[in-house]
Amino acid sequence: MEWVNAILQGALLGGLYALFAAGLSLIFGVMRLVNIAHGDLIVLGAYLGLSVTLVLGVHPLVALVLVVPAMAVIGYVLQRCILNQTLGKDILPPLLVTFGLSVIIQNALLETYTADPQKISAGALETASLSVGGLSFGVLPVMTFVIAVAVIAGLQWVFYRTALGRAFRATSDNQEIAQLMGLNRRHIFGLAMALALAVTAIAGILLGIRTSFDPSIGGGRLIFGFEAVIIGGLGNLWGTLVGGIILGVAQTVGAKIDPGWQLLAGHLVFLLILAIRPSGLFPRIKE
């Protein structure tokens, strides 16, 4: 029963990793941009959530009403003013720019909030639990997993059932022809980044409720997101959920064997899958 519990807890943890990964997968799927600053943007979302809850005195989940659109605006402006200028056949400029952006975000957060660890208080939600079949599940991890499934289903619906999704796919397939058909490539990319950072805001606030955070933890969140994306397959949103679950289960099972193996077990499973299937389990992009 203890091993079953470890696997189920890992699957729930995978929901949070899927939220880390969904924005990355979306950005890469639409514009082939590898965003090195993604982890720091998740941390920025957590700090914005913390500020809103402290200033307005509202519950962190209510803070999403303000933080999600704020991060979406930041994403659109960032893409239109900076990142669009770096996109082209050479992948090095966007990598360098997003790396620089990562450093800037970390230092700005350090100046604004100091290096002291912070945590978003969510009251009874943090400790509430459910008992099912002799197993105990935290309400917050279950809620996080349900939100992850809902977010990915929503992104999938946008991609395949809306005009905006058709614009994303057309621009992703061939930017020049999409331009000739009247689509503004720069605007479409801006909307994709806005959508990705809206998801990042949700991930950041749920991270801030679940654990303490400081300006330096963005790199670790980026690695978890990348691993979930690559395990699931580039460009496949449901694949990011599967990747997150596999990563989460690997970590909790590793921790069950030895607490010091938690992170190592996740990285080893990632490397194993990468060695067997370099494009991930369910790739949509064959590059």
Side-chain angles (χ1 to χ4, degrees):
M1 188 62 79
E2 291 183 359
W3 288 99
V4 173
N5 183 56
I7 292 171
L8 292 176
Q9 297 297 339
L12 295 179
L13 176 61
L16 183 62
Y17 292 162
L19 285 173
F20 291 167
L24 274 175
S25 183
L26 173 64
I27 294 169
F28 188 85
V30 174
M31 62 186 95
R32 309 294 192 267
L33 171 66
V34 178
N35 184 7
I36 301 296
H38 189 76
D40 301 287
L41 289 165
I42 292 171
V43 179
L44 174 62
Y47 274 109
L48 289 179
L50 175 68
S51 296
V52 170
T53 55
L54 292 178
V55 172
L56 301 182
V58 297
H59 193 277
L61 297 181
V62 177
L64 284 169
V65 176
L66 293 177
V67 178
V68 168
M71 288 293 289
V73 170
I74 290 172
Y76 185 84
V77 173
L78 182 65
Q79 186 67 39
R80 290 301 300 262
C81 297
I82 299 176
L83 296 179
N84 272 342
Q85 326 305 325
T86 69
L87 296 178
K89 292 183 179 178
D90 189 353
I91 63 170
L92 191 57
L95 284 176
L96 293 176
V97 169
T98 54
F99 176 73
L101 183 63
S102 167
V103 175
I104 291 170
I105 293 172
Q106 285 187 36
N107 281 275
L109 292 176
L110 197 60
E111 285 294 321
T112 307
Y113 295 97
T114 78
D116 295 338
Q118 306 284 348
K119 191 173 183 308
I120 301 175
S121 175
L125 177 62
E126 297 178 41
T127 55
S129 63
L130 300 169
S131 294
V132 180
L135 299 174
S136 181
F137 302 96
V139 171
L140 179 61
V142 172
M143 190 182 70
T144 301
F145 188 87
V146 171
I147 290 174
V149 172
V151 165
I152 291 175
L155 290 176
Q156 195 79 4
W157 178 79
V158 169
F159 248 74
Y160 294 100
R161 294 287 186 271
T162 67
L164 178 60
R166 287 192 290 275
F168 283 160
R169 285 183 282 131
T171 310
S172 172
D173 289 342
N174 193 310
Q175 297 180 20
E176 286 71 23
I177 292 179
Q179 285 277 114
L180 292 174
M181 296 297 291
L183 293 174
N184 184 333
R185 179 181 60 183
R186 294 175 178 273
H187 177 62
I188 296 298
F189 286 171
L191 293 176
M193 184 59 80
L195 193 55
L197 289 205
V199 175
T200 298
I202 299 171
I205 288 184
L206 290 173
L207 170 70
I209 296 174
R210 184 184 181 100
T211 184
S212 61
F213 56 94
D214 63 66
S216 67
I217 68 164
R221 305 322 103 177
L222 175 67
I223 290 173
F224 294 154
F226 266 137
E227 289 181 342
V229 168
I230 294 172
I231 290 173
L234 292 173
N236 189 330
L237 288 168
W238 286 115
T240 61
L241 180 62
V242 175
I245 291 173
I246 291 174
L247 185 61
V249 170
Q251 288 186 354
T252 54
V253 170
K256 182 69 179 170
I257 297 171
D258 186 311
W261 281 35
Q262 180 177 2
L263 297 182
L264 178 61
H267 297 325
L268 289 176
V269 168
F270 163 69
L271 286 175
L272 178 64
I273 293 175
L274 196 61
I276 297 172
R277 291 181 64 90
S279 298
L281 297 177
F282 314 104
R284 285 279 174 86
I285 297 172
K286 306 292 186 183
E287 288 184 351

